[in-house]
Amino acid sequence: MNKILISVVGPTAIGKTKLAILLAQYYRTEIISADSRQFFKEMNIGTAVPTSEELKLAKHHFIQHKSITEPYSVGDFERDAIKKIASLFKTNEVVIMVGGSGLYVNAVTEGLNSFPTIKSNVREALNFELKEHGIEYLQEKLERLDPLYFKQVDIHNPQRVIRALEVTIGSGKPYSSFIDKPKAKRDFRVITVGIKADRTIIYDRINQRVDVMIAAGLLEEAKEVLPYRNYNALQTVGYKELFNFFDNEWTLEFAISEIKKNTRRFAKRQLTWFFKNEDTRWFNYDYEQKNILNKINTEILKLKNG
């Protein structure tokens, strides 16, 4: 239990990659990416994958290691990440994990929740409702049946909404009642470090990042993956909006504004998720490197001596 996993969390565009690299270099270790959008090799610009220069500064794992055509669940990630972390701990006292996908972060630090088996016809019926009535219809149903989880989930991700409804309807109990239960024991300690900022700063950084993505070729990237639009990996902000532009349903200007709006909403949900962990050590986005390293080292000493 003297092995330490430092988990870096926070909203999108806040600077998690920068801090993770700083920590990896300081502790001479490697980085586990827990950003589910960055797993897929076809999605580069729209998911803000670390640049080639950043990847050279510290070794990363689980960056663009899958294709969007390959199913890859949070359970798959938990299994693979725990195996990789165990391997890294053979030669490192500290390993860094970074990502804004709360469910994937928790899968590593705490283990996954246990859900009941649900009959397949429940999901089939929900998929039919999605096709016939649209995502808004399912969003309203989830808000009515499980208002607690509705406030946490990415309501613009149909797979997440359908999964929550599937469990809620199939079991007769809210999806939220199955989460936050005692989970798997880990043979390492976890220090969670969060980066935060005032909401106006976060939103400005998001708007600027989207403009940079568009200038870098996000439109062309989205066009290349358009034939795969129905795959789960592409049911995400930054691509869905541009698909509507390609369908001549939206103007490009409106699609870009929707990317910014939906990303801001996503960041708000990320903060709601991460603030639930009372053990997180929060730092402002303009932290001083010396200050943050001193505080983390103090935490490591407490864990090892405790």
Side-chain angles (χ1 to χ4, degrees):
M1 294 295 287
N2 284 330
K3 303 296 186 178
I4 305 292
L5 178 71
I6 301 176
S7 176
V8 179
V9 301
T12 188
I14 199 66
K16 296 186 296 296
T17 296
K18 178 182 176 182
L19 177 56
I21 291 172
L22 166 68
L23 296 175
Q25 291 182 325
Y26 179 82
Y27 292 107
R28 298 182 180 181
T29 188
E30 301 178 12
I31 298 172
I32 301 292
S33 174
D35 189 324
S36 62
R37 286 159 40 92
Q38 295 180 356
F39 294 159
F40 304 102
K41 61 187 71 175
E42 297 89 349
M43 300 163 67
N44 186 50
I45 300 171
T47 60
V49 168
T51 65
S52 57
E53 290 77 15
E54 288 173 326
L55 293 174
K56 291 176 183 176
L57 294 174
K59 187 168 183 178
H60 289 64
H61 302 275
F62 304 102
I63 293 285
Q64 296 187 312
H65 67 302
K66 292 290 180 180
S67 169
I68 54 177
T69 61
E70 297 177 73
Y72 195 66
S73 69
V74 63
D76 295 328
F77 173 71
E78 178 191 18
R79 179 198 64 232
D80 295 345
I82 290 298
K83 182 178 179 180
K84 175 56 68 174
I85 290 170
S87 174
L88 292 174
F89 275 143
K90 292 178 180 178
T91 53
N92 299 274
E93 291 291 315
V94 175
V95 172
I96 312 301
M97 182 170 71
V98 59
S101 302
L103 182 62
Y104 287 72
V105 171
N106 284 14
V108 172
T109 59
E110 303 175 7
L112 289 173
N113 295 284
S114 178
F115 293 97
T117 301
I118 307 298
K119 293 181 179 179
S120 60
N121 65 314
V122 177
R123 174 172 283 268
E124 292 169 2
L126 290 167
N127 282 326
F128 178 79
E129 290 180 356
L130 174 64
K131 183 178 180 181
E132 290 294 309
H133 305 295
I135 185 64
E136 293 82 7
Y137 179 84
L138 296 182
Q139 290 170 350
E140 292 173 3
K141 179 178 284 192
L142 180 61
E143 184 175 22
R144 185 173 66 254
L145 296 177
D146 191 351
L148 180 62
Y149 190 67
F150 177 82
K151 295 178 181 178
Q152 303 175 19
V153 70
D154 179 359
I155 59 171
H156 300 286
N157 186 323
Q159 299 300 322
R160 297 278 177 86
V161 173
I162 286 176
R163 176 55 178 162
L165 284 170
E166 176 186 28
V167 172
T168 300
I169 295 170
S171 69
K173 299 179 181 179
Y175 183 87
S176 56
S177 68
F178 293 97
I179 62 180
D180 298 329
K181 302 289 185 182
K183 306 179 186 77
K185 297 290 184 181
R186 298 302 191 208
D187 57 1
F188 52 82
R189 307 289 186 91
V190 178
I191 295 176
T192 302
V193 176
I195 313 177
K196 64 179 181 177
D198 291 338
R199 187 166 295 179
T200 54
I201 293 175
I202 295 173
Y203 288 177
D204 284 345
R205 291 171 70 94
I206 287 171
N207 293 339
Q208 292 172 20
R209 173 179 277 187
V210 173
D211 288 337
V212 170
M213 287 177 172
I214 294 297
L218 178 57
L219 192 65
E220 290 74 18
E221 180 173 278
K223 189 175 295 184
E224 289 179 2
V225 298
L226 182 60
Y228 308 98
R229 63 188 298 174
N230 292 325
Y231 281 91
N232 186 45
L234 288 168
Q235 308 305 310
T236 187
V237 63
Y239 296 89
K240 295 188 299 181
E241 296 84 356
L242 292 178
F243 294 159
N244 285 338
F245 164 66
F246 296 142
D247 291 338
N248 295 316
E249 295 179 2
W250 292 352
T251 65
L252 179 58
E253 181 181 8
F254 184 72
I256 293 172
S257 71
E258 286 294 291
I259 293 174
K260 293 178 179 179
K261 181 183 74 176
N262 290 333
T263 305
R264 293 193 298 267
R265 287 176 172 176
F266 176 57
K268 184 178 179 180
R269 289 192 297 273
Q270 286 177 303
L271 285 170
T272 298
W273 179 289
F274 291 127
F275 279 145
K276 289 190 301 179
N277 183 356
E278 297 179 355
D279 294 327
T280 299
R281 291 75 169 171
W282 288 99
F283 296 89
N284 207 42
Y285 78 106
D286 56 355
Y287 58 84
E288 292 186 9
Q289 292 186 7
K290 182 178 179 180
N291 180 43
I292 198 169
L293 289 171
N294 285 341
K295 290 190 175 182
I296 292 174
N297 281 332
T298 299
E299 293 292 335
I300 289 176
L301 285 175
K302 284 182 181 178
L303 287 179
K304 290 191 173 182
N305 294 332

